[in-house]
Amino acid sequence: MSEEDKKETATEEAKPPATEEAAETAEEEEIAPTDNPEGAPEDTAAASSSSKSRRVYVGNLSWHVNWQELKDYFGSETGEEVLRADILTGPDGRSKGCGIVEFATEEGAQKAVLTVNDTEFQGRQIFVREDREDRATGASSSSFAGGGGGGGGGRFSSDSQSRRVYVGNLSWEVAWQDLKDHMRDAGEVVHAEVITEASGRSKGCGVVEYKTVDEAKQAIASLNDTELMGRMIFVRED
């Protein structure tokens, strides 16, 4: 064997053998992934948060209002694009007298709160506020004007959030005492109040404070979808 042949043989022997692991590494470097599964939940959460800021909650709706009428009304009143509208219903499909409207932009939702709140729609004075649920929590910042009175003494205590429930779809004729008496079935009611306009007219909803957290939870479990003075009310955490 010549000196030149010996050098070529030595060079080939010195090269590291190609392993399966090395081949896989090279293939991974050559084909970059096109998506990131781990990032998906974050994108979903961001989208959910964005959607929430574009939604408004509408209360005191007539039982006869359907989603199309709700969507058309908010579109015409605000001049903004409405993506969808939903009427909240009970297990039997009957309207709960409230709904959710989602706009294309946050500005549209904000405009709805400012311009459509306290307007009359199909014979009832509706109220509109930002949708505060994920739909998970619903910390209420509603004001309680006039009326109401007493119900257990004074205003709601500052530390009573977890002991309060929000009651929607009330008949206009329901007074704080009627509400308190009905909600007593779940426990001791410390205070009950019907949310009203500045004129004293009911907005068709109210807040009830119980003595304990467990009683408030019981009210949600047992009094949601019960009938009070001709209307099927709904009860959720305040």
Side-chain angles (χ1 to χ4, degrees):
M1 181 180 292
S2 66
E3 289 297 326
E4 189 175 342
D5 291 337
K6 289 179 180 179
K7 288 180 180 179
E8 290 180 358
T9 302
T11 301
E12 290 176 358
E13 290 176 349
K15 290 180 180 179
T19 64
E20 184 176 345
E21 182 178 353
E24 290 177 353
T25 301
E27 185 178 349
E28 289 174 359
E29 291 176 351
E30 183 179 349
I31 305 175
T34 57
D35 54 29
N36 181 10
E38 293 182 358
E42 296 178 2
D43 294 340
T44 301
S48 176
S49 176
S50 174
S51 175
K52 179 182 174 184
S53 64
R54 293 185 278 109
R55 295 195 309 256
V56 296
Y57 173 90
V58 188
N60 203 36
L61 292 173
S62 164
W63 279 335
H64 309 294
V65 172
N66 59 44
W67 69 266
Q68 186 66 63
E69 292 168 334
L70 183 62
K71 182 178 181 180
D72 291 345
Y73 181 72
F74 272 78
S76 64
E77 289 295 306
T78 62
E80 300 286 339
E81 180 183 358
V82 176
L83 296 182
R84 66 175 294 152
D86 294 293
I87 301 295
L88 302 186
T89 60
D92 59 355
R94 186 181 182 188
S95 169
K96 289 185 174 182
C98 55
I100 303 293
V101 177
E102 182 177 338
F103 287 86
T105 65
E106 291 183 25
E107 291 73 19
Q110 292 168 0
K111 186 175 181 181
V113 174
L114 293 173
T115 62
V116 189
N117 185 48
D118 286 337
T119 59
E120 188 169 311
F121 180 42
Q122 294 199 16
R124 289 185 71 89
Q125 189 110 18
I126 64 173
F127 67 90
V128 184
R129 61 165 171 76
E130 62 185 27
D131 183 33
R132 304 187 184 100
E133 298 191 16
D134 291 318
R135 303 195 42 105
T137 59
S140 174
S141 61
S142 300
S143 60
F144 301 89
R155 308 291 285 180
F156 293 107
S157 56
S158 59
D159 62 346
S160 65
Q161 179 83 47
S162 60
R163 294 185 281 110
R164 295 201 307 260
V165 295
Y166 173 90
V167 187
N169 202 37
L170 293 175
S171 165
W172 281 334
E173 288 75 32
V174 171
W176 69 264
Q177 188 64 62
D178 301 317
L179 180 61
K180 182 176 182 180
D181 291 344
H182 183 78
M183 302 302 286
R184 272 199 185 112
D185 288 346
E188 183 178 347
V189 176
V190 175
H191 187 78
E193 192 153 2
V194 173
I195 302 175
T196 62
E197 303 169 35
S199 64
R201 185 183 183 187
S202 169
K203 286 189 174 182
C205 56
V207 175
V208 176
E209 180 183 333
Y210 285 91
K211 188 173 183 179
T212 68
V213 174
D214 287 341
E215 288 172 333
K217 291 179 179 178
Q218 179 61 27
I220 295 172
S222 64
L223 296 177
N224 187 48
D225 288 334
T226 57
E227 189 170 314
L228 173 59
M229 294 179 69
R231 287 185 73 88
M232 192 77 70
I233 65 172
F234 67 91
V235 184
R236 61 168 172 78
E237 64 181 277
D238 180 39

